[in-house]
PDB file of all heavy atoms in Angstrom:
ATOM      1  N   GLY A 209     -29.925  27.213 -24.746  1.00  0.00           N
ATOM      2  CA  GLY A 209     -29.100  26.299 -25.531  1.00  0.00           C
ATOM      3  C   GLY A 209     -28.147  26.992 -26.473  1.00  0.00           C
ATOM      4  O   GLY A 209     -27.576  26.342 -27.356  1.00  0.00           O
ATOM      5  N   LEU A 210     -27.928  28.290 -26.309  1.00  0.00           N
ATOM      6  CA  LEU A 210     -27.006  29.021 -27.164  1.00  0.00           C
ATOM      7  C   LEU A 210     -25.617  29.041 -26.540  1.00  0.00           C
ATOM      8  O   LEU A 210     -25.473  29.226 -25.326  1.00  0.00           O
ATOM      9  CB  LEU A 210     -27.504  30.455 -27.371  1.00  0.00           C
ATOM     10  CG  LEU A 210     -28.876  30.595 -28.016  1.00  0.00           C
ATOM     11  CD1 LEU A 210     -29.288  32.059 -28.081  1.00  0.00           C
ATOM     12  CD2 LEU A 210     -28.878  29.977 -29.414  1.00  0.00           C
ATOM     13  N   PRO A 211     -24.554  28.869 -27.334  1.00  0.00           N
ATOM     14  CA  PRO A 211     -23.204  28.846 -26.768  1.00  0.00           C
ATOM     15  C   PRO A 211     -22.775  30.234 -26.308  1.00  0.00           C
ATOM     16  O   PRO A 211     -22.955  31.233 -27.019  1.00  0.00           O
ATOM     17  CB  PRO A 211     -22.347  28.368 -27.946  1.00  0.00           C
ATOM     18  CG  PRO A 211     -23.133  28.696 -29.170  1.00  0.00           C
ATOM     19  CD  PRO A 211     -24.571  28.588 -28.781  1.00  0.00           C
ATOM     20  N   VAL A 212     -22.226  30.300 -25.086  1.00  0.00           N
ATOM     21  CA  VAL A 212     -21.693  31.564 -24.581  1.00  0.00           C
ATOM     22  C   VAL A 212     -20.177  31.493 -24.365  1.00  0.00           C
ATOM     23  O   VAL A 212     -19.523  32.525 -24.222  1.00  0.00           O
ATOM     24  CB  VAL A 212     -22.374  31.981 -23.249  1.00  0.00           C
ATOM     25  CG1 VAL A 212     -23.843  32.269 -23.484  1.00  0.00           C
ATOM     26  CG2 VAL A 212     -22.224  30.905 -22.185  1.00  0.00           C
ATOM     27  N   PHE A 213     -19.638  30.275 -24.341  1.00  0.00           N
ATOM     28  CA  PHE A 213     -18.178  30.128 -24.301  1.00  0.00           C
ATOM     29  C   PHE A 213     -17.833  28.762 -24.867  1.00  0.00           C
ATOM     30  O   PHE A 213     -18.552  27.779 -24.664  1.00  0.00           O
ATOM     31  CB  PHE A 213     -17.623  30.204 -22.863  1.00  0.00           C
ATOM     32  CG  PHE A 213     -16.136  29.957 -22.834  1.00  0.00           C
ATOM     33  CD1 PHE A 213     -15.243  30.990 -23.079  1.00  0.00           C
ATOM     34  CD2 PHE A 213     -15.635  28.679 -22.592  1.00  0.00           C
ATOM     35  CE1 PHE A 213     -13.871  30.743 -23.089  1.00  0.00           C
ATOM     36  CE2 PHE A 213     -14.276  28.435 -22.603  1.00  0.00           C
ATOM     37  CZ  PHE A 213     -13.382  29.464 -22.854  1.00  0.00           C
ATOM     38  N   GLN A 214     -16.695  28.714 -25.584  1.00  0.00           N
ATOM     39  CA  GLN A 214     -16.213  27.438 -26.071  1.00  0.00           C
ATOM     40  C   GLN A 214     -14.721  27.492 -26.348  1.00  0.00           C
ATOM     41  O   GLN A 214     -14.174  28.536 -26.750  1.00  0.00           O
ATOM     42  CB  GLN A 214     -16.981  26.984 -27.326  1.00  0.00           C
ATOM     43  CG  GLN A 214     -17.066  27.990 -28.446  1.00  0.00           C
ATOM     44  CD  GLN A 214     -18.057  27.545 -29.499  1.00  0.00           C
ATOM     45  OE1 GLN A 214     -18.216  26.352 -29.783  1.00  0.00           O
ATOM     46  NE2 GLN A 214     -18.752  28.496 -30.119  1.00  0.00           N
ATOM     47  N   THR A 215     -14.052  26.370 -26.108  1.00  0.00           N
ATOM     48  CA  THR A 215     -12.660  26.192 -26.441  1.00  0.00           C
ATOM     49  C   THR A 215     -12.414  24.718 -26.682  1.00  0.00           C
ATOM     50  O   THR A 215     -12.998  23.871 -25.997  1.00  0.00           O
ATOM     51  CB  THR A 215     -11.723  26.736 -25.358  1.00  0.00           C
ATOM     52  OG1 THR A 215     -10.340  26.534 -25.779  1.00  0.00           O
ATOM     53  CG2 THR A 215     -11.916  26.008 -24.024  1.00  0.00           C
ATOM     54  N   SER A 216     -11.580  24.421 -27.631  1.00  0.00           N
ATOM     55  CA  SER A 216     -11.165  23.042 -27.880  1.00  0.00           C
ATOM     56  C   SER A 216      -9.696  23.034 -28.285  1.00  0.00           C
ATOM     57  O   SER A 216      -9.308  22.476 -29.300  1.00  0.00           O
ATOM     58  CB  SER A 216     -12.037  22.398 -28.976  1.00  0.00           C
ATOM     59  OG  SER A 216     -11.988  23.163 -30.167  1.00  0.00           O
ATOM     60  N   ASP A 217      -8.881  23.702 -27.467  1.00  0.00           N
ATOM     61  CA  ASP A 217      -7.468  23.897 -27.771  1.00  0.00           C
ATOM     62  C   ASP A 217      -6.646  23.474 -26.569  1.00  0.00           C
ATOM     63  O   ASP A 217      -6.896  23.922 -25.434  1.00  0.00           O
ATOM     64  CB  ASP A 217      -7.214  25.373 -28.097  1.00  0.00           C
ATOM     65  CG  ASP A 217      -5.889  25.599 -28.824  1.00  0.00           C
ATOM     66  OD1 ASP A 217      -4.850  25.196 -28.263  1.00  0.00           O
ATOM     67  OD2 ASP A 217      -5.885  26.158 -29.925  1.00  0.00           O
ATOM     68  N   SER A 218      -5.656  22.616 -26.773  1.00  0.00           N
ATOM     69  CA  SER A 218      -4.834  22.110 -25.672  1.00  0.00           C
ATOM     70  C   SER A 218      -3.956  23.193 -25.064  1.00  0.00           C
ATOM     71  O   SER A 218      -3.375  22.985 -23.989  1.00  0.00           O
ATOM     72  CB  SER A 218      -3.951  20.950 -26.162  1.00  0.00           C
ATOM     73  OG  SER A 218      -3.065  21.385 -27.186  1.00  0.00           O
ATOM     74  N   ARG A 219      -3.858  24.356 -25.712  1.00  0.00           N
ATOM     75  CA  ARG A 219      -3.072  25.460 -25.142  1.00  0.00           C
ATOM     76  C   ARG A 219      -3.796  26.171 -24.006  1.00  0.00           C
ATOM     77  O   ARG A 219      -3.202  27.004 -23.315  1.00  0.00           O
ATOM     78  CB  ARG A 219      -2.693  26.451 -26.238  1.00  0.00           C
ATOM     79  CG  ARG A 219      -1.673  25.934 -27.237  1.00  0.00           C
ATOM     80  CD  ARG A 219      -1.520  26.863 -28.435  1.00  0.00           C
ATOM     81  NE  ARG A 219      -2.698  26.868 -29.288  1.00  0.00           N
ATOM     82  CZ  ARG A 219      -2.760  27.500 -30.450  1.00  0.00           C
ATOM     83  NH1 ARG A 219      -1.708  28.212 -30.872  1.00  0.00           N
ATOM     84  NH2 ARG A 219      -3.856  27.463 -31.194  1.00  0.00           N
ATOM     85  N   VAL A 220      -5.077  25.878 -23.826  1.00  0.00           N
ATOM     86  CA  VAL A 220      -5.863  26.452 -22.735  1.00  0.00           C
ATOM     87  C   VAL A 220      -5.795  25.497 -21.550  1.00  0.00           C
ATOM     88  O   VAL A 220      -6.235  24.354 -21.643  1.00  0.00           O
ATOM     89  CB  VAL A 220      -7.318  26.691 -23.135  1.00  0.00           C
ATOM     90  CG1 VAL A 220      -8.102  27.297 -21.975  1.00  0.00           C
ATOM     91  CG2 VAL A 220      -7.386  27.596 -24.353  1.00  0.00           C
ATOM     92  N   HIS A 221      -5.247  25.961 -20.426  1.00  0.00           N
ATOM     93  CA  HIS A 221      -5.056  25.120 -19.257  1.00  0.00           C
ATOM     94  C   HIS A 221      -6.001  25.463 -18.099  1.00  0.00           C
ATOM     95  O   HIS A 221      -6.265  24.613 -17.275  1.00  0.00           O
ATOM     96  CB  HIS A 221      -3.602  25.217 -18.771  1.00  0.00           C
ATOM     97  CG  HIS A 221      -2.607  24.857 -19.816  1.00  0.00           C
ATOM     98  ND1 HIS A 221      -2.438  23.569 -20.257  1.00  0.00           N
ATOM     99  CD2 HIS A 221      -1.748  25.620 -20.539  1.00  0.00           C
ATOM    100  CE1 HIS A 221      -1.495  23.549 -21.200  1.00  0.00           C
ATOM    101  NE2 HIS A 221      -1.071  24.782 -21.381  1.00  0.00           N
ATOM    102  N   GLN A 222      -6.429  26.698 -18.039  1.00  0.00           N
ATOM    103  CA  GLN A 222      -7.373  27.103 -16.997  1.00  0.00           C
ATOM    104  C   GLN A 222      -8.329  28.122 -17.571  1.00  0.00           C
ATOM    105  O   GLN A 222      -8.020  28.831 -18.535  1.00  0.00           O
ATOM    106  CB  GLN A 222      -6.653  27.692 -15.781  1.00  0.00           C
ATOM    107  CG  GLN A 222      -5.872  26.690 -14.955  1.00  0.00           C
ATOM    108  CD  GLN A 222      -5.370  27.325 -13.664  1.00  0.00           C
ATOM    109  OE1 GLN A 222      -6.171  27.763 -12.840  1.00  0.00           O
ATOM    110  NE2 GLN A 222      -4.076  27.344 -13.470  1.00  0.00           N
ATOM    111  N   LEU A 223      -9.494  28.189 -16.924  1.00  0.00           N
ATOM    112  CA  LEU A 223     -10.541  29.103 -17.361  1.00  0.00           C
ATOM    113  C   LEU A 223     -11.282  29.594 -16.137  1.00  0.00           C
ATOM    114  O   LEU A 223     -11.576  28.825 -15.219  1.00  0.00           O
ATOM    115  CB  LEU A 223     -11.508  28.352 -18.299  1.00  0.00           C
ATOM    116  CG  LEU A 223     -12.893  28.954 -18.523  1.00  0.00           C
ATOM    117  CD1 LEU A 223     -12.776  30.235 -19.327  1.00  0.00           C
ATOM    118  CD2 LEU A 223     -13.794  27.941 -19.196  1.00  0.00           C
ATOM    119  N   GLU A 224     -11.584  30.887 -16.086  1.00  0.00           N
ATOM    120  CA  GLU A 224     -12.474  31.455 -15.079  1.00  0.00           C
ATOM    121  C   GLU A 224     -13.505  32.328 -15.784  1.00  0.00           C
ATOM    122  O   GLU A 224     -13.137  33.146 -16.647  1.00  0.00           O
ATOM    123  CB  GLU A 224     -11.707  32.281 -14.052  1.00  0.00           C
ATOM    124  CG  GLU A 224     -10.802  31.454 -13.146  1.00  0.00           C
ATOM    125  CD  GLU A 224     -10.086  32.280 -12.087  1.00  0.00           C
ATOM    126  OE1 GLU A 224     -10.219  33.533 -12.125  1.00  0.00           O
ATOM    127  OE2 GLU A 224      -9.411  31.700 -11.229  1.00  0.00           O
ATOM    128  N   LEU A 225     -14.771  32.141 -15.437  1.00  0.00           N
ATOM    129  CA  LEU A 225     -15.856  32.935 -16.018  1.00  0.00           C
ATOM    130  C   LEU A 225     -16.609  33.598 -14.873  1.00  0.00           C
ATOM    131  O   LEU A 225     -17.087  32.908 -13.962  1.00  0.00           O
ATOM    132  CB  LEU A 225     -16.811  32.045 -16.814  1.00  0.00           C
ATOM    133  CG  LEU A 225     -16.227  31.315 -18.023  1.00  0.00           C
ATOM    134  CD1 LEU A 225     -17.261  30.396 -18.635  1.00  0.00           C
ATOM    135  CD2 LEU A 225     -15.718  32.307 -19.061  1.00  0.00           C
ATOM    136  N   ARG A 226     -16.740  34.930 -14.924  1.00  0.00           N
ATOM    137  CA  ARG A 226     -17.455  35.668 -13.894  1.00  0.00           C
ATOM    138  C   ARG A 226     -18.898  35.909 -14.348  1.00  0.00           C
ATOM    139  O   ARG A 226     -19.141  36.441 -15.439  1.00  0.00           O
ATOM    140  CB  ARG A 226     -16.774  36.990 -13.586  1.00  0.00           C
ATOM    141  CG  ARG A 226     -17.418  37.761 -12.404  1.00  0.00           C
ATOM    142  CD  ARG A 226     -16.636  39.005 -12.083  1.00  0.00           C
ATOM    143  NE  ARG A 226     -16.580  39.921 -13.216  1.00  0.00           N
ATOM    144  CZ  ARG A 226     -15.577  40.775 -13.424  1.00  0.00           C
ATOM    145  NH1 ARG A 226     -14.569  40.822 -12.593  1.00  0.00           N
ATOM    146  NH2 ARG A 226     -15.622  41.594 -14.471  1.00  0.00           N
ATOM    147  N   LEU A 227     -19.838  35.524 -13.496  1.00  0.00           N
ATOM    148  CA  LEU A 227     -21.247  35.653 -13.814  1.00  0.00           C
ATOM    149  C   LEU A 227     -21.778  36.993 -13.322  1.00  0.00           C
ATOM    150  O   LEU A 227     -21.611  37.341 -12.150  1.00  0.00           O
ATOM    151  CB  LEU A 227     -22.047  34.524 -13.179  1.00  0.00           C
ATOM    152  CG  LEU A 227     -21.517  33.109 -13.410  1.00  0.00           C
ATOM    153  CD1 LEU A 227     -22.411  32.088 -12.720  1.00  0.00           C
ATOM    154  CD2 LEU A 227     -21.394  32.806 -14.898  1.00  0.00           C
ATOM    155  N   ALA A 228     -22.418  37.749 -14.203  1.00  0.00           N
ATOM    156  CA  ALA A 228     -23.031  39.020 -13.810  1.00  0.00           C
ATOM    157  C   ALA A 228     -24.233  38.720 -12.894  1.00  0.00           C
ATOM    158  O   ALA A 228     -24.751  37.593 -12.861  1.00  0.00           O
ATOM    159  CB  ALA A 228     -23.484  39.786 -15.062  1.00  0.00           C
ATOM    160  N   PRO A 229     -24.704  39.695 -12.120  1.00  0.00           N
ATOM    161  CA  PRO A 229     -25.794  39.455 -11.156  1.00  0.00           C
ATOM    162  C   PRO A 229     -27.154  39.293 -11.825  1.00  0.00           C
ATOM    163  O   PRO A 229     -27.991  40.180 -11.822  1.00  0.00           O
ATOM    164  CB  PRO A 229     -25.753  40.707 -10.267  1.00  0.00           C
ATOM    165  CG  PRO A 229     -25.140  41.766 -11.121  1.00  0.00           C
ATOM    166  CD  PRO A 229     -24.140  41.063 -11.990  1.00  0.00           C
ATOM    167  N   THR A 230     -27.350  38.140 -12.436  1.00  0.00           N
ATOM    168  CA  THR A 230     -28.628  37.769 -13.057  1.00  0.00           C
ATOM    169  C   THR A 230     -29.067  36.446 -12.495  1.00  0.00           C
ATOM    170  O   THR A 230     -28.395  35.837 -11.664  1.00  0.00           O
ATOM    171  CB  THR A 230     -28.492  37.687 -14.578  1.00  0.00           C
ATOM    172  OG1 THR A 230     -27.642  36.582 -14.891  1.00  0.00           O
ATOM    173  CG2 THR A 230     -27.914  38.966 -15.167  1.00  0.00           C
ATOM    174  N   ALA A 231     -30.180  35.945 -12.969  1.00  0.00           N
ATOM    175  CA  ALA A 231     -30.670  34.635 -12.519  1.00  0.00           C
ATOM    176  C   ALA A 231     -30.485  33.597 -13.613  1.00  0.00           C
ATOM    177  O   ALA A 231     -31.231  32.627 -13.688  1.00  0.00           O
ATOM    178  CB  ALA A 231     -32.127  34.742 -12.111  1.00  0.00           C
ATOM    179  N   ASP A 232     -29.489  33.768 -14.471  1.00  0.00           N
ATOM    180  CA  ASP A 232     -29.295  32.849 -15.589  1.00  0.00           C
ATOM    181  C   ASP A 232     -28.804  31.482 -15.112  1.00  0.00           C
ATOM    182  O   ASP A 232     -28.173  31.345 -14.067  1.00  0.00           O
ATOM    183  CB  ASP A 232     -28.279  33.431 -16.585  1.00  0.00           C
ATOM    184  CG  ASP A 232     -28.837  34.652 -17.297  1.00  0.00           C
ATOM    185  OD1 ASP A 232     -30.044  34.916 -17.162  1.00  0.00           O
ATOM    186  OD2 ASP A 232     -28.064  35.351 -17.967  1.00  0.00           O
ATOM    187  N   THR A 233     -29.094  30.477 -15.905  1.00  0.00           N
ATOM    188  CA  THR A 233     -28.624  29.120 -15.672  1.00  0.00           C
ATOM    189  C   THR A 233     -27.819  28.678 -16.883  1.00  0.00           C
ATOM    190  O   THR A 233     -28.195  28.948 -18.020  1.00  0.00           O
ATOM    191  CB  THR A 233     -29.790  28.161 -15.443  1.00  0.00           C
ATOM    192  OG1 THR A 233     -30.534  28.571 -14.298  1.00  0.00           O
ATOM    193  CG2 THR A 233     -29.292  26.731 -15.225  1.00  0.00           C
ATOM    194  N   TYR A 234     -26.708  28.013 -16.639  1.00  0.00           N
ATOM    195  CA  TYR A 234     -25.822  27.577 -17.723  1.00  0.00           C
ATOM    196  C   TYR A 234     -25.575  26.075 -17.605  1.00  0.00           C
ATOM    197  O   TYR A 234     -25.626  25.505 -16.521  1.00  0.00           O
ATOM    198  CB  TYR A 234     -24.487  28.318 -17.680  1.00  0.00           C
ATOM    199  CG  TYR A 234     -24.605  29.818 -17.756  1.00  0.00           C
ATOM    200  CD1 TYR A 234     -24.667  30.595 -16.596  1.00  0.00           C
ATOM    201  CD2 TYR A 234     -24.653  30.466 -18.989  1.00  0.00           C
ATOM    202  CE1 TYR A 234     -24.796  31.968 -16.662  1.00  0.00           C
ATOM    203  CE2 TYR A 234     -24.765  31.852 -19.052  1.00  0.00           C
ATOM    204  CZ  TYR A 234     -24.836  32.597 -17.894  1.00  0.00           C
ATOM    205  OH  TYR A 234     -24.954  33.948 -17.964  1.00  0.00           O
ATOM    206  N   THR A 235     -25.268  25.469 -18.740  1.00  0.00           N
ATOM    207  CA  THR A 235     -24.791  24.088 -18.762  1.00  0.00           C
ATOM    208  C   THR A 235     -23.373  24.090 -19.298  1.00  0.00           C
ATOM    209  O   THR A 235     -23.119  24.530 -20.420  1.00  0.00           O
ATOM    210  CB  THR A 235     -25.679  23.210 -19.648  1.00  0.00           C
ATOM    211  OG1 THR A 235     -26.995  23.200 -19.144  1.00  0.00           O
ATOM    212  CG2 THR A 235     -25.148  21.775 -19.655  1.00  0.00           C
ATOM    213  N   LEU A 236     -22.451  23.627 -18.481  1.00  0.00           N
ATOM    214  CA  LEU A 236     -21.043  23.559 -18.853  1.00  0.00           C
ATOM    215  C   LEU A 236     -20.741  22.100 -19.194  1.00  0.00           C
ATOM    216  O   LEU A 236     -21.011  21.197 -18.400  1.00  0.00           O
ATOM    217  CB  LEU A 236     -20.158  24.039 -17.704  1.00  0.00           C
ATOM    218  CG  LEU A 236     -18.661  24.107 -17.928  1.00  0.00           C
ATOM    219  CD1 LEU A 236     -18.047  25.160 -17.023  1.00  0.00           C
ATOM    220  CD2 LEU A 236     -17.980  22.758 -17.660  1.00  0.00           C
ATOM    221  N   SER A 237     -20.201  21.880 -20.387  1.00  0.00           N
ATOM    222  CA  SER A 237     -19.883  20.535 -20.846  1.00  0.00           C
ATOM    223  C   SER A 237     -18.395  20.445 -21.133  1.00  0.00           C
ATOM    224  O   SER A 237     -17.801  21.375 -21.683  1.00  0.00           O
ATOM    225  CB  SER A 237     -20.663  20.184 -22.113  1.00  0.00           C
ATOM    226  OG  SER A 237     -22.048  20.391 -21.914  1.00  0.00           O
ATOM    227  N   ALA A 238     -17.789  19.324 -20.749  1.00  0.00           N
ATOM    228  CA  ALA A 238     -16.361  19.094 -21.014  1.00  0.00           C
ATOM    229  C   ALA A 238     -16.197  17.701 -21.602  1.00  0.00           C
ATOM    230  O   ALA A 238     -16.863  16.754 -21.171  1.00  0.00           O
ATOM    231  CB  ALA A 238     -15.551  19.235 -19.738  1.00  0.00           C
ATOM    232  N   GLU A 239     -15.316  17.585 -22.571  1.00  0.00           N
ATOM    233  CA  GLU A 239     -15.013  16.287 -23.158  1.00  0.00           C
ATOM    234  C   GLU A 239     -13.532  16.240 -23.529  1.00  0.00           C
ATOM    235  O   GLU A 239     -12.848  17.261 -23.587  1.00  0.00           O
ATOM    236  CB  GLU A 239     -15.870  15.992 -24.388  1.00  0.00           C
ATOM    237  CG  GLU A 239     -15.512  16.814 -25.602  1.00  0.00           C
ATOM    238  CD  GLU A 239     -16.119  16.253 -26.883  1.00  0.00           C
ATOM    239  OE1 GLU A 239     -16.907  15.297 -26.802  1.00  0.00           O
ATOM    240  OE2 GLU A 239     -15.799  16.783 -27.961  1.00  0.00           O
ATOM    241  N   ARG A 240     -13.037  15.043 -23.783  1.00  0.00           N
ATOM    242  CA  ARG A 240     -11.657  14.894 -24.213  1.00  0.00           C
ATOM    243  C   ARG A 240     -11.458  15.531 -25.598  1.00  0.00           C
ATOM    244  O   ARG A 240     -12.354  15.486 -26.435  1.00  0.00           O
ATOM    245  CB  ARG A 240     -11.275  13.408 -24.307  1.00  0.00           C
ATOM    246  CG  ARG A 240     -11.185  12.686 -22.996  1.00  0.00           C
ATOM    247  CD  ARG A 240     -10.804  11.240 -23.194  1.00  0.00           C
ATOM    248  NE  ARG A 240     -11.755  10.544 -24.063  1.00  0.00           N
ATOM    249  CZ  ARG A 240     -11.632   9.287 -24.452  1.00  0.00           C
ATOM    250  NH1 ARG A 240     -10.578   8.586 -24.075  1.00  0.00           N
ATOM    251  NH2 ARG A 240     -12.546   8.716 -25.215  1.00  0.00           N
ATOM    252  N   LEU A 241     -10.267  16.078 -25.807  1.00  0.00           N
ATOM    253  CA  LEU A 241      -9.917  16.507 -27.157  1.00  0.00           C
ATOM    254  C   LEU A 241      -9.852  15.300 -28.079  1.00  0.00           C
ATOM    255  O   LEU A 241      -9.619  14.179 -27.617  1.00  0.00           O
ATOM    256  CB  LEU A 241      -8.585  17.255 -27.144  1.00  0.00           C
ATOM    257  CG  LEU A 241      -8.581  18.602 -26.421  1.00  0.00           C
ATOM    258  CD1 LEU A 241      -7.169  19.208 -26.440  1.00  0.00           C
ATOM    259  CD2 LEU A 241      -9.578  19.576 -27.033  1.00  0.00           C
ATOM    260  N   ALA A 242     -10.029  15.521 -29.360  1.00  0.00           N
ATOM    261  CA  ALA A 242     -10.176  14.426 -30.304  1.00  0.00           C
ATOM    262  C   ALA A 242      -8.976  13.484 -30.314  1.00  0.00           C
ATOM    263  O   ALA A 242      -9.127  12.277 -30.481  1.00  0.00           O
ATOM    264  CB  ALA A 242     -10.417  14.988 -31.709  1.00  0.00           C
ATOM    265  N   ASP A 243      -7.770  14.017 -30.112  1.00  0.00           N
ATOM    266  CA  ASP A 243      -6.573  13.170 -30.204  1.00  0.00           C
ATOM    267  C   ASP A 243      -6.049  12.762 -28.823  1.00  0.00           C
ATOM    268  O   ASP A 243      -4.927  12.285 -28.717  1.00  0.00           O
ATOM    269  CB  ASP A 243      -5.474  13.902 -30.978  1.00  0.00           C
ATOM    270  CG  ASP A 243      -5.127  15.250 -30.367  1.00  0.00           C
ATOM    271  OD1 ASP A 243      -5.846  15.675 -29.428  1.00  0.00           O
ATOM    272  OD2 ASP A 243      -4.158  15.881 -30.817  1.00  0.00           O
ATOM    273  N   ALA A 244      -6.845  12.936 -27.785  1.00  0.00           N
ATOM    274  CA  ALA A 244      -6.390  12.621 -26.434  1.00  0.00           C
ATOM    275  C   ALA A 244      -6.993  11.279 -25.979  1.00  0.00           C
ATOM    276  O   ALA A 244      -8.185  11.032 -26.161  1.00  0.00           O
ATOM    277  CB  ALA A 244      -6.783  13.721 -25.456  1.00  0.00           C
ATOM    278  N   SER A 245      -6.150  10.433 -25.375  1.00  0.00           N
ATOM    279  CA  SER A 245      -6.658   9.174 -24.830  1.00  0.00           C
ATOM    280  C   SER A 245      -7.224   9.361 -23.435  1.00  0.00           C
ATOM    281  O   SER A 245      -8.044   8.574 -22.979  1.00  0.00           O
ATOM    282  CB  SER A 245      -5.529   8.122 -24.785  1.00  0.00           C
ATOM    283  OG  SER A 245      -4.473   8.571 -23.947  1.00  0.00           O
ATOM    284  N   GLN A 246      -6.797  10.424 -22.759  1.00  0.00           N
ATOM    285  CA  GLN A 246      -7.282  10.693 -21.405  1.00  0.00           C
ATOM    286  C   GLN A 246      -7.219  12.194 -21.165  1.00  0.00           C
ATOM    287  O   GLN A 246      -6.338  12.885 -21.663  1.00  0.00           O
ATOM    288  CB  GLN A 246      -6.400   9.971 -20.379  1.00  0.00           C
ATOM    289  CG  GLN A 246      -6.932  10.080 -18.956  1.00  0.00           C
ATOM    290  CD  GLN A 246      -6.950   8.732 -18.260  1.00  0.00           C
ATOM    291  OE1 GLN A 246      -7.157   7.699 -18.897  1.00  0.00           O
ATOM    292  NE2 GLN A 246      -6.720   8.713 -16.983  1.00  0.00           N
ATOM    293  N   ALA A 247      -8.189  12.709 -20.429  1.00  0.00           N
ATOM    294  CA  ALA A 247      -8.223  14.128 -20.114  1.00  0.00           C
ATOM    295  C   ALA A 247      -8.663  14.292 -18.668  1.00  0.00           C
ATOM    296  O   ALA A 247      -9.196  13.367 -18.045  1.00  0.00           O
ATOM    297  CB  ALA A 247      -9.180  14.866 -21.053  1.00  0.00           C
ATOM    298  N   TYR A 248      -8.443  15.486 -18.123  1.00  0.00           N
ATOM    299  CA  TYR A 248      -8.808  15.768 -16.737  1.00  0.00           C
ATOM    300  C   TYR A 248      -9.414  17.166 -16.662  1.00  0.00           C
ATOM    301  O   TYR A 248      -8.995  18.080 -17.373  1.00  0.00           O
ATOM    302  CB  TYR A 248      -7.570  15.720 -15.807  1.00  0.00           C
ATOM    303  CG  TYR A 248      -6.818  14.428 -15.888  1.00  0.00           C
ATOM    304  CD1 TYR A 248      -5.747  14.279 -16.771  1.00  0.00           C
ATOM    305  CD2 TYR A 248      -7.172  13.347 -15.095  1.00  0.00           C
ATOM    306  CE1 TYR A 248      -5.059  13.090 -16.869  1.00  0.00           C
ATOM    307  CE2 TYR A 248      -6.486  12.151 -15.174  1.00  0.00           C
ATOM    308  CZ  TYR A 248      -5.433  12.035 -16.061  1.00  0.00           C
ATOM    309  OH  TYR A 248      -4.742  10.840 -16.143  1.00  0.00           O
TER     310      TYR A 248
END
Side-chain angles (χ1 to χ4, degrees):
L210 300 176
V212 295
F213 176 85
Q214 51 191 326
T215 180
S216 56
D217 198 302
S218 62
R219 290 170 291 186
V220 180
H221 303 289
Q222 289 189 61
L223 161 69
E224 291 183 354
L225 298 175
R226 185 176 61 208
L227 310 180
T230 66
D232 292 350
T233 299
Y234 302 93
T235 299
L236 183 153
S237 307
E239 72 165 5
R240 291 180 302 177
L241 293 178
D243 57 352
S245 61
Q246 187 132 327
Y248 304 93

